[in-house]
């Protein structure tokens, strides 16, 4: 079902612009809660809802227009000092913005959104009249379910433990065709909606509507256009200056190519004197420099500020803290730090889990903090910074911290490790037990994970991005989770190893050292190959065994000291051919296990890029 046939271009523009605008409004709402008298914030939020309403009007999204119109009116009264902001009123406003996001989801599916819940509209109307709002916190408010009847929404609210209290008037109206939105004082009349949507010219500019577009008419879809959802996921905003740099470098490469073509023609005609060869060398060097610069410039077009991801979390922390009767402030820093767009998207789930855990299990309630002499307001810090070619993301809380001994005992209790192994672990290794599948420090099941529930998934997702995660914690003081990630996955620094005539590449981030292996350096300990490196006994794993090739009688010449997390081993091979920064070509139709992708060597040979973590998971009895 497509409610926007012929309007796909307009819908795509609206979702892109309005989605960013709503995210900005959400961020400003968090600031407004701290500075309720800030006139600039009130004006910005008012304009945000007004502009979204205008774009929705062009799409005939009447339910979205109605909700934004009520919210816009509310902020008009707030900025004119006719109403005063309170915590309960903020809950209503946040519920409205959440419902706008839900309506955006319907628009992404090319469907007109349903009406907002009647209770929400009632709360907005109550707020507009200045009547006091319910004082119950979100966690203790009645549990409500939503029933769609005849295209309308009816709220079934759990009034007491004996049964459900149904809004029979709304249900009757839905069955008999009465307009519920009109019942609460709104309208679906197209003419009245058109009157409510003002400042058409500013809306055109905000949502990229063309001057010859007419509201309500169709815009022809071009061949090859993709759905709105696909377009949104595959687009990226790039500064014009970065594209200009790419264009300039492309032009210089074209000039250098022309020069090389002329030199090749001279050499083919037998003109290979010293000046010609010197000029050829200079042109090749210049081309090499330009290609590196172009590569870097193209990579910058993929880079996005991580703040676009971070700005989602203050709202998440605020809502969760109120439901748990906690006073928590999420402090952001380093939002301008840039990293690859695809990596930012893949980071969302792990960071959501870590922020939720910090609020739920990391920090204490107000009473607990007061009893321990801490400030009532707890603080969770989320920061990002660049260190060399890596991005470091830190999640820090000033809560109760984690006790290594408790974690170790819990792991033993759940049968995740034996007493013998547990007794060999130091404090840091005990903390990392929370990454074991199935580990949890909580005995009860709740809708919010405790620290440790699902942390194995967090670590797995970060490792898929070639990243690492470390924990530091001090009981009574708080915990720190530090994530280290490469700037991008599109270009990967690798070490190229040789096994016979075939080349393989391993990520350079895992390589600690390259060793020459001479006869007699590899020893057998309990039937396993080992090698001593500066007093440390390390297991030796032949590359041939790792990839499943038959063992060769040839003695390995090279050993690569690899580091994966806290584990080290030596990967032996026949030789190595240096290191390089390669562009990974994925294998979409056929991907052998343990192969992350392919690239080509300078000699034109195919080089397989190995997924060491995946290969190690299949090795038995190795390192």
């Amino acid at each position: 079902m497509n409610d926007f046939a012929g309007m796909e271009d307009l819908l795509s523009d609206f979702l892109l612009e309005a989605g960013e605008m709503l995210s900005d409004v959400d961020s400003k709402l968090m600031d407004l809660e701290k500075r309720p008298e800030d006139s600039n914030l009130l004006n910005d939020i008012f304009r945000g809802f007004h502009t979204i309403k205008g774009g929705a009007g062009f799409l005939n999204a009447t339910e979205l227009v109605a909700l934004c119109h009520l919210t816009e009116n509310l902020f008009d009264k707030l900025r004119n000092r006719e109403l005063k902001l309170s915590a309960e009123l903020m809950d209503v406003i946040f519920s409205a913005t959440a419902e706008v996001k839900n309506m955006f989801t319907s628009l992404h599916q090319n469907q007109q959104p349903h009406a907002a819940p009647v209770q929400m509209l009632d709360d907005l109307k109550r707020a507009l009249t200045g009547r006091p709002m319910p004082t119950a916190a979100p966690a203790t408010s009645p549990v409500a379910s939503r029933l769609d009847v005849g295209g309308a929404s009816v709220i079934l609210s759990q009034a007491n433990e004996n049964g459900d209290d149904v809004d029979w008037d709304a249900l009757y109206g839905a069955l008999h065709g009465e307009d519920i939105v009109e019942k609460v004082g709104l309208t679906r009349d197209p003419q009245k909606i058109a009157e409510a949507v003002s400042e058409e010219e500013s809306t055109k500019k905000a949502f990229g509507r063309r001057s010859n577009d007419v509201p309500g008419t169709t815009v022809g879809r071009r061949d090859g256009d993709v759905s709105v959802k696909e377009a949104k996921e595959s687009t990226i905003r790039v500064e014009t200056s970065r594209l200009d740099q790419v264009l300039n470098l492309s032009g210089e490469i074209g000039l250098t190519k022309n020069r090389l073509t002329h030199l090749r023609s001279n050499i083919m005609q037998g003109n290979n004197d010293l000046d010609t060869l010197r000029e050829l060398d200079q042109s090749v060097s210049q081309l090499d420099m330009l290609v590196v610069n172009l590569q870097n410039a193209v990579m910058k077009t993929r880079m996005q500020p991580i703040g676009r991801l971070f700005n989602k979390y203050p709202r998440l922390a605020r809502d969760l803290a109120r439901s748990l009767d906690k006073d928590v402030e999420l402090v952001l820093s380093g939002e301008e730090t840039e990293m690859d767009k695809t990596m930012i998207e893949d980071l969302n789930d792990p960071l959501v889990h870590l922020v939720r855990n910090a609020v739920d299990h990391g920090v204490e309630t107000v009473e607990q903090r007061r009893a321990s002499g801490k400030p009532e307001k707890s603080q969770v810090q989320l920061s990002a910074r660049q260190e060399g070619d890596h991005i470091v993301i830190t999640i820090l809380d000033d809560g109760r911290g984690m006790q290594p001994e408790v974690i170790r005992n819990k792991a033993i209790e759940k049968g995740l490790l034996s007493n013998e192994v547990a007794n060999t672990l130091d404090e840091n290794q005990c903390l990392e037990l929370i990454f074991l599948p199935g580990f949890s420090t909580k005995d009860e099941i709740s809708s919010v994970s405790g620290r440790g529930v699902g942390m194995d998934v967090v670590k797995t997702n970060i490792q898929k991005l070639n990243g690492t995660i470390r924990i530091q914690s001090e009981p009574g003081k708080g915990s720190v989770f530090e994530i280290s990630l490469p700037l991008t996955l599109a270009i990967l620094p690798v070490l190229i190893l040789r096994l016979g005539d075939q080349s393989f590449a391993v990520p350079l981030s895992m390589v600690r050292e390259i060793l020459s292996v001479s006869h007699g350096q590899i020893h057998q300990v309990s039937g396993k190959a080992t090698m001593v490196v500066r007093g440390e006994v390390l297991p030796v794993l032949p590359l041939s065994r790792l990839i499943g090739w038959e063992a060769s009688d040839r003695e390995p010449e090279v050993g690569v000291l690899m580091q994966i997390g806290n584990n080290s081993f030596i990967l032996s091979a026949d030789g190595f051919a240096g290191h390089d920064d390669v562009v990974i070509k994925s294998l979409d139709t056929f991907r052998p296990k343990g192969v992350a992708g392919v690239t080509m060597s300078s000699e034109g040979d195919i080089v397989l890029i190995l997924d060491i973590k995946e290969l190690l998971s299949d090795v038995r009895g190795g390192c």
Side-chain angles (χ1 to χ4, degrees), residues 493-607:
V494 295
L495 178 70
I496 300 175
L497 302 175
R498 289 199 175 276
L499 195 62
D501 295 328
Q502 178 62 48
S503 298
F504 297 90
V506 297
L508 200 59
S509 59
M510 298 181 181
V511 177
R512 272 176 48 189
E513 190 176 350
I514 301 174
L515 308 166
S516 60
V517 180
S518 58
H519 181 71
Q521 283 187 296
I522 298 179
H523 307 280
Q524 296 293 322
V525 177
S526 300
K528 298 178 181 178
T530 60
M531 185 173 170
V532 179
V533 180
R534 289 184 293 279
E536 183 180 7
V537 180
L538 297 172
V540 177
L541 182 61
L543 177 58
S544 57
R545 180 185 171 194
L546 193 66
I547 61 176
W549 283 17
E550 291 186 7
S552 172
D553 295 334
R554 180 178 174 180
E555 288 284 336
E557 299 179 5
V558 172
V560 181
L561 181 52
M562 308 283 290
Q563 176 91 34
I564 300 179
N566 293 325
N567 300 317
S568 301
F569 69 97
I570 294 175
L571 185 66
S572 62
D574 295 341
F576 79 97
H579 62 86
D580 201 356
D581 293 337
V582 300
V583 177
I584 302 176
K585 301 293 184 183
S586 59
L587 300 171
D588 295 328
T589 56
F590 173 69
R591 180 184 177 273
K593 190 168 185 178
V595 177
V598 298
T599 187
M600 294 194 71
S601 68
S602 56
E603 294 85 6
D605 298 329
I606 293 177
V607 179

Side-chain angles (χ1 to χ4, degrees), residues 458-476:
V458 171
K459 184 173 184 179
T460 300
N461 288 343
I462 290 172
Q463 286 180 337
K464 286 180 181 178
L465 298 174
N466 289 335
T468 59
I469 180 169
R470 295 192 308 115
I471 310 172
Q472 292 178 324
S473 187
E474 185 177 349

Side-chain angles (χ1 to χ4, degrees), residues 382-552:
L382 177 60
S383 64
R385 66 184 187 275
Q386 182 174 345
E387 290 186 356
D389 59 350
H390 277 68
I391 295 293
V392 178
I393 299 172
T394 304
I395 301 96
L396 178 151
D397 67 68
D398 62 352
R400 57 174 60 92
M402 293 185 285
Q403 300 179 10
E405 196 65 31
V406 172
I407 293 175
R408 175 164 46 194
N409 293 338
K410 202 71 176 180
I412 296 172
E413 176 188 324
K414 290 182 173 291
L416 299 176
L417 76 165
S418 64
N419 281 293
E420 293 75 14
V421 174
N423 291 331
T424 64
L425 302 180
D426 59 26
E427 288 191 355
N428 287 335
Q429 290 172 325
C430 287
L431 292 178
E432 294 200 354
L433 291 175
I434 68 172
F435 294 123
L436 290 175
F439 180 86
S440 173
T441 57
K442 284 194 170 183
D443 294 322
E444 75 278 3
I445 297 175
S446 68
S447 60
V448 183
S449 299
R451 200 183 297 274
V453 179
M455 291 296 286
D456 61 312
V457 179
V458 171
K459 184 173 184 179
T460 300
N461 288 343
I462 290 172
Q463 286 180 337
K464 286 180 181 178
L465 298 174
N466 289 335
T468 59
I469 180 169
R470 295 192 308 115
I471 310 172
Q472 292 178 324
S473 187
E474 185 177 349
K477 299 293 185 181
S479 302
V480 181
F481 285 77
E482 188 176 88
I483 300 170
S484 179
L485 297 160
L487 281 172
T488 179
L489 294 179
I491 295 179
L492 182 68
V494 295
L495 178 70
I496 300 175
L497 302 175
R498 289 199 175 276
L499 195 62
D501 295 328
Q502 178 62 48
S503 298
F504 297 90
V506 297
L508 200 59
S509 59
M510 298 181 181
V511 177
R512 272 176 48 189
E513 190 176 350
I514 301 174
L515 308 166
S516 60
V517 180
S518 58
H519 181 71
Q521 283 187 296
I522 298 179
H523 307 280
Q524 296 293 322
V525 177
S526 300
K528 298 178 181 178
T530 60
M531 185 173 170
V532 179
V533 180
R534 289 184 293 279
E536 183 180 7
V537 180
L538 297 172
V540 177
L541 182 61
L543 177 58
S544 57
R545 180 185 171 194
L546 193 66
I547 61 176
W549 283 17
E550 291 186 7
S552 172

